[in-house]
Structures are given as structure tokens and as C-alpha cells.
Amino acid sequence: MRVEFEVDGITLVGDVRIPEGEGPHPALVFTGPFTGVRDQVTGLYAQRLTAHGYVTLAFDHRNWGESGGEPRQHEDWQGKLGDLRAAVSLLRSRQEVDPERIGAVGICLGGGYALRFAAFDPRVKAFAGIAGAYNNPYGRHFESVLPGLTQVLERQDQGGQVEYVPAVAEDGDAAMPGEEPYAYYGGTASPHWRNRVTVASIRELVTMDNMMGADFLSPRPGLIVHGVVDRFCSPEGAEEAYKRMGQPKRLVWLDAKRHVDLYDAEPYVTQAVEATAEFMGEHLRAGVTP
């Protein structure tokens, strides 16, 4: 069912899915890929995990999809953490949900957001990251790009229009260039996705530190599911997040060769869903059913 909820004066739009059987049920909140909207990757995973006995909430973050917020198609990492907080508040208010059994699931860029969010919100009892991007500024050579990005922001501060680049392009400049992201987003059926992103979003991506969540997650349990080959969200980053997490934790490698394999390709989605359902079942004490 479609839901709307407020955070920071912005209306967010999401879908709550409720499993069969007597409640209250454990619940999962989802956050997903860079530029993604809720009827793409997060909606697919939410639908599949609802069948395993979870109430799920997949929603459009501020500035994206059907949710409000300006500028449009702008990555706001602090805002996204606030959105997740409000989403958990919504779940805890629903009679179908056991408020003490809520987990956070992130896919792609959402893996980092879910990790950092779960580490600092005691209402979240477990975390799972799937093909996650665990961004941190350490080791990045971002100094070379900051002057140009800051000039863009200065022009906007002085009254200029918001500047955009394509989100994906098979050839040419884009935030996510190349055949692989274009193969997924170029063929997406979502009416709410737009092939553009603010230039300022790149600054957000290179300066955020979501990896730090790994240092503070324990004693909340954490699961990392990742493909063995991933040129957009590195396996090395997933392994670092896992190593920095305390117990209890689990790392599951899938024999995927493309990042987007874990978006909608089989058998990888089923494998990721089953690993997440099993892990959350252990730690949220959910009934695990096919």
C-alpha cells in the first residue's frame, strides 16, 4: 500500500508491504542505489522479502521519485539519513509491526547509508548490505575535483540555475558512465526515474563517510552480501566494511560478475534474498518461509 510521511517539512512517498499471517511482524526498511527510485531495486527486494514474513518499506528519498524536496535528483547524504529515521518511525507506528524487530537493508549506495544509519539508531536491530558502496573519503584523490565542484555550488549560491549531468550514458560523460549502468537504467520501466543528477551530487559522493558505520555497528548484527567481481562497488570495500564490523557478522560472496547482477538478475537476486532472510530470521526471530 502507498504511504506518505513527513520529514523536515518534506513529504516522502513509499510502499508498505505486509506479509500473510498474524502479526505483529518483524520489519525491514530499504534504501537503494544512487539515482534509484522505489519501483526499481528496493521495490524488488522488498517484495521478495515480504514473502519471507517481513513488513517492508521501500520509499523514495527526498529529491527523488515521487517524494518532495529540492533540488530534484540531488544526493543529500545527511538528508537521506534523516529520511531513514522517519521511515523507521513510521514502521514503529504501525500495528502490523513489532517495533522491537526492525532491520535496515541497503543495496548499492544504500548499503553504506543503511550501515551508517543502523550503527547510530538503536531502534534498528540488524543490518544487511547487498552489493554495497561503503563510501569514505580516505584514500580518495578528491582534491583534484573539489575546485570545479565548488565553482558549481558558488554559481548556484549566487543565483545560477542548478547544474545537471546525465545519470547514465552508454557513451560520453555521465555520473555513471558505460554499458553496465546504462543496460539497467536505460531500460528501466519506472515512470519516476529521471536520467539526470545534480553536479553537486558528485561532491556528496566523494566526501561522505558511510564506512565509519562499520566501526560502531556492533553489537547489532551485520550481513554483507557482495559479488566477487564488481567494478562499481568494489569487493575490497565490502571486505573492509566486514573486517571493521564487530560480531555478530556474516560475509556472503556471490559468483556475480557485474554490479547490476544483484539488481535484477537470477540466480543472484534469489541468493541475496535468501541470505538476507536467513540472517534477519536468526537475529529478528522471524519466521523464514519461501
Side-chain angles (χ1 to χ4, degrees):
M1 73 180 67
R2 177 188 171 100
V3 295
E4 295 185 0
F5 54 105
E6 299 288 323
V7 56
D8 299 334
I10 301 169
T11 300
L12 304 185
V13 179
D15 297 312
V16 170
R17 293 175 171 88
I18 302 170
E20 296 180 357
E22 292 290 330
H25 303 279
L28 301 173
V29 64
F30 290 80
T31 178
F34 178 48
T35 82
V37 294
R38 76 185 192 280
D39 55 354
Q40 295 172 327
V41 180
T42 55
L44 174 62
Y45 275 88
Q47 180 182 34
R48 296 286 297 272
L49 282 158
T50 297
H52 283 264
Y54 299 90
V55 174
T56 62
L57 173 57
F59 66 97
D60 292 332
H61 279 285
R62 66 182 70 192
N63 310 332
W64 303 94
E66 288 192 273
S67 291
E70 295 287 342
R72 301 306 297 165
Q73 288 79 52
H74 175 65
E75 190 70 22
D76 176 355
W77 68 263
Q78 291 178 309
K80 279 191 167 183
L81 294 172
D83 296 346
L84 286 165
R85 183 198 71 238
V88 169
S89 297
L90 172 67
L91 284 172
R92 284 170 57 88
S93 73
R94 297 190 63 93
Q95 64 180 4
E96 306 94 343
V97 172
D98 182 340
E100 299 306 316
R101 294 192 291 162
I102 294 177
V105 179
I107 305 101
C108 185
L109 187 60
Y113 282 121
L115 175 59
R116 179 161 173 171
F117 172 66
F120 296 107
D121 193 319
R123 302 173 302 169
V124 177
K125 307 304 181 183
F127 153 77
I130 300 167
Y134 305 102
N135 295 47
N136 73 82
Y138 299 98
R140 291 177 177 266
H141 301 291
F142 57 81
E143 298 89 347
S144 62
V145 300
L146 283 182
L149 296 173
T150 303
Q151 288 174 9
V152 170
L153 289 170
E154 183 175 281
R155 288 195 292 269
Q156 293 174 190
D157 290 339
Q158 293 172 349
Q161 292 186 338
V162 176
E163 299 183 29
Y164 289 91
V165 294
V168 298
E170 194 167 16
D171 298 302
D173 292 335
M176 297 180 288
E179 181 276 332
E180 185 176 328
Y182 186 82
Y184 178 79
Y185 288 106
T188 183
S190 170
H192 307 299
W193 183 80
R194 300 289 180 269
N195 188 13
R196 67 174 192 171
V197 63
T198 66
V199 175
S201 293
I202 309 304
R203 186 180 191 278
E204 299 291 310
L205 293 179
V206 301
T207 58
M208 70 172 62
D209 186 358
N210 285 334
M211 180 71 81
M212 67 178 293
D215 299 325
F216 298 94
L217 182 68
S218 184
R220 284 171 291 280
L223 168 69
I224 300 285
V225 179
H226 213 89
V228 293
V229 177
D230 189 329
R231 73 183 187 90
F232 284 90
C233 298
S234 74
E236 293 79 9
E239 190 166 21
E240 179 184 352
Y242 175 75
K243 288 179 178 179
R244 287 171 60 167
M245 286 160 47
Q247 294 290 347
K249 62 181 177 179
R250 183 175 301 161
L251 175 61
V252 176
W253 292 110
L254 302 183
D255 190 28
K257 300 301 190 292
R258 303 190 312 160
H259 175 69
V260 297
D261 284 343
L262 275 75
Y263 282 16
D264 63 353
E266 294 296 350
Y268 310 110
V269 170
T270 292
Q271 292 169 349
V273 166
E274 290 178 348
T276 303
E278 179 182 0
F279 187 81
M280 291 293 180
E282 292 175 11
H283 296 285
L284 299 181
R285 296 183 175 87
V288 180
T289 57

